[in-house]
Amino acid sequence: MGRIPLSYLLNRLFTLFLTVFIAATLIWIIPRLSPVNPVDVMLGRMASGGGSVENSGAILAQLTERFGLNDPWYVQFWLYIKNTLTFDFGISTASFPTPVASMIAAALPWTLGLMIVSLIITFIIGNLLGALMVWEHTPRLWKVAIPAAMVFTSIPPILSGLLLMYIFSSQLGWFPLNGAYGLNTEPGWSLDFAGSVLYHGFLPAMSIVVVTFGFWALGMRGLMITVQGEDYTILAKAKGLRKRYILYRYMIRNAILPQITAFALKIGMLVAGQVLVERIFAYNGMGKLLYDAILDQDFPVIQGVSFVIILMTAVAVFLVDLIYPFIDPRIRHGA
């Protein structure tokens, strides 16, 4: 295990930078392929509110200059890359003149909280159930119940959210229908606010958990089938070690490694999957922000949110790559 070699660390950092740079370039290129002009959209929104806009030509020229759309493409790209490195994503066209960075900063903690809680719960439950599906000492009832429960994985998160809202909010009244915290709760670092956040976030988190745990369970099941026939597992059984010790130490520990990589990659996918969930629960996270930006054709917000999602995923993969040897001593950095 030991120290991380400097050459290996620099190589991983270069890969991280290259991945983020390519992703940022694509984020800049793709919106410019659209025939929609964000300034025209912004001017049209202004006109829809007041019926007409006086001196629209002058306003259009000012906004075009303000967003740097008169500059050559290479100047626009250079300014975009330079500003992105400092997390300056420009100004929202739908909420002008609100900076995109402040909108993301307000939404990011809510998404991180919902994502981390739901992802960790799903990861633990899914992998445990996947391992129990293969373990020969699992009770027969469990082996029948676990695959039956995986029928929920075919349901989109938005439908599971609506179902949970109907059962636990409309019918039973156990949880609120929407919102991230109670209206009468003062935001801050207090137990009352933390309890309100957990209370309001339970249904959004569960709507993600019930439809995604099957992904981990099926993956773990396939890996456990492979590990079950390995020589070290057979030797452990021949030595008479405890059954649960063999399950954890010899089977799950070796089968979990590819799942950890998938855990990092799942971060970006999960944020994308939270878009509609956050919308129906009126949960003020990145998903709802992205959804509203798409409806409003707010390209700066779309670019900023997309970049943050890609950056989170790339950093997660980078960290997982570094901690692999600490999880499995057989792995060496750079080997």
Side-chain angles (χ1 to χ4, degrees):
M1 199 160 52
R3 270 187 326 117
I4 300 175
L6 180 60
S7 59
Y8 181 81
L9 180 60
L10 292 176
N11 180 272
R12 295 294 94 191
L13 286 172
F14 175 76
T15 303
L16 172 65
F17 175 79
L18 184 63
T19 302
V20 174
F21 176 77
I22 293 174
T25 302
L26 292 175
I27 291 172
W28 181 81
I29 292 175
I30 292 174
R32 282 161 176 77
L33 299 178
S34 172
V36 178
N37 188 334
V39 176
D40 290 336
V41 173
M42 185 176 177
L43 197 63
R45 190 178 293 110
M46 294 168 61
S48 65
S52 62
V53 179
E54 296 182 359
N55 301 323
S56 59
I59 295 176
L60 181 64
Q62 291 177 3
L63 291 176
T64 302
E65 182 67 26
R66 174 66 182 82
F67 288 103
L69 300 178
N70 289 329
D71 299 327
W73 68 267
Y74 51 86
V75 175
Q76 294 184 41
F77 179 70
W78 163 249
L79 292 175
Y80 163 77
I81 293 296
K82 185 178 71 171
N83 293 334
T84 299
L85 291 176
T86 59
F87 297 97
D88 181 5
F89 304 112
I91 296 175
S92 169
T93 58
S95 304
F96 186 85
T98 307
V100 175
S102 64
M103 298 173 68
I104 293 177
L108 185 59
W110 298 105
T111 291
L112 284 177
L114 179 60
M115 179 186 66
I116 291 173
V117 170
S118 59
L119 188 55
I120 290 177
I121 293 175
T122 308
F123 182 81
I124 294 174
I125 293 177
N127 283 292
L128 179 60
L129 294 180
L132 292 176
M133 288 171 65
V134 177
W135 194 38
E136 63 267 26
H137 302 289
T138 301
R140 185 177 297 275
L141 179 62
W142 279 79
K143 290 194 173 185
V144 174
I146 294 173
M150 290 175 61
V151 69
F152 291 104
T153 59
S154 60
I155 302 176
I158 184 175
L159 293 184
S160 68
L162 292 173
L163 178 63
L164 292 177
M165 288 174 66
Y166 174 75
I167 296 175
F168 295 103
S169 296
S170 298
Q171 298 299 313
L172 299 177
W174 291 356
F175 295 97
L177 277 170
N178 50 43
Y181 57 90
L183 296 177
N184 298 325
T185 306
E186 184 69 24
W189 298 100
S190 64
L191 291 178
D192 290 340
F193 180 68
S196 179
V197 170
L198 292 174
Y199 178 59
H200 283 73
F202 181 81
L203 286 187
M206 286 302 102
S207 66
I208 298 173
V209 169
V210 297
V211 299
T212 55
F213 80 92
F215 168 84
W216 302 106
L218 288 176
M220 191 63 174
R221 177 182 177 275
L223 294 167
M224 285 287 291
I225 290 174
T226 303
V227 171
Q228 194 175 33
E230 294 290 344
D231 293 339
Y232 52 80
T233 304
I234 297 173
L235 178 61
K237 295 177 181 178
K239 291 168 64 176
L241 299 178
R242 294 195 310 272
K243 298 173 183 178
R244 294 183 180 178
Y245 183 81
I246 295 174
L247 173 66
Y248 161 72
R249 188 74 177 182
Y250 286 83
M251 300 176 68
I252 293 180
R253 187 175 181 183
N254 288 283
I256 200 72
L257 293 175
Q259 296 288 80
I260 294 175
T261 301
F263 180 87
L265 296 173
K266 194 71 174 175
I267 290 178
M269 298 171 60
L270 189 60
V271 174
Q274 288 181 192
V275 171
L276 296 179
V277 171
E278 291 185 1
R279 180 61 182 173
I280 64 172
F281 283 101
Y283 198 85
N284 296 322
M286 296 270 284
K288 183 176 180 295
L289 181 63
L290 180 60
Y291 180 89
D292 293 338
I294 293 173
L295 290 182
D296 295 332
Q297 296 180 322
D298 193 346
F299 292 116
V301 173
I302 295 173
Q303 288 179 335
V305 172
S306 300
F307 177 80
V308 171
I309 293 174
I310 291 172
L311 181 63
M312 289 167 53
T313 306
V315 171
V317 173
F318 169 76
L319 294 176
V320 166
D321 200 17
L322 293 183
I323 66 173
Y324 250 143
F326 300 95
I327 300 173
D328 189 348
R330 298 172 301 175
I331 298 176
R332 298 291 184 270
H333 287 115

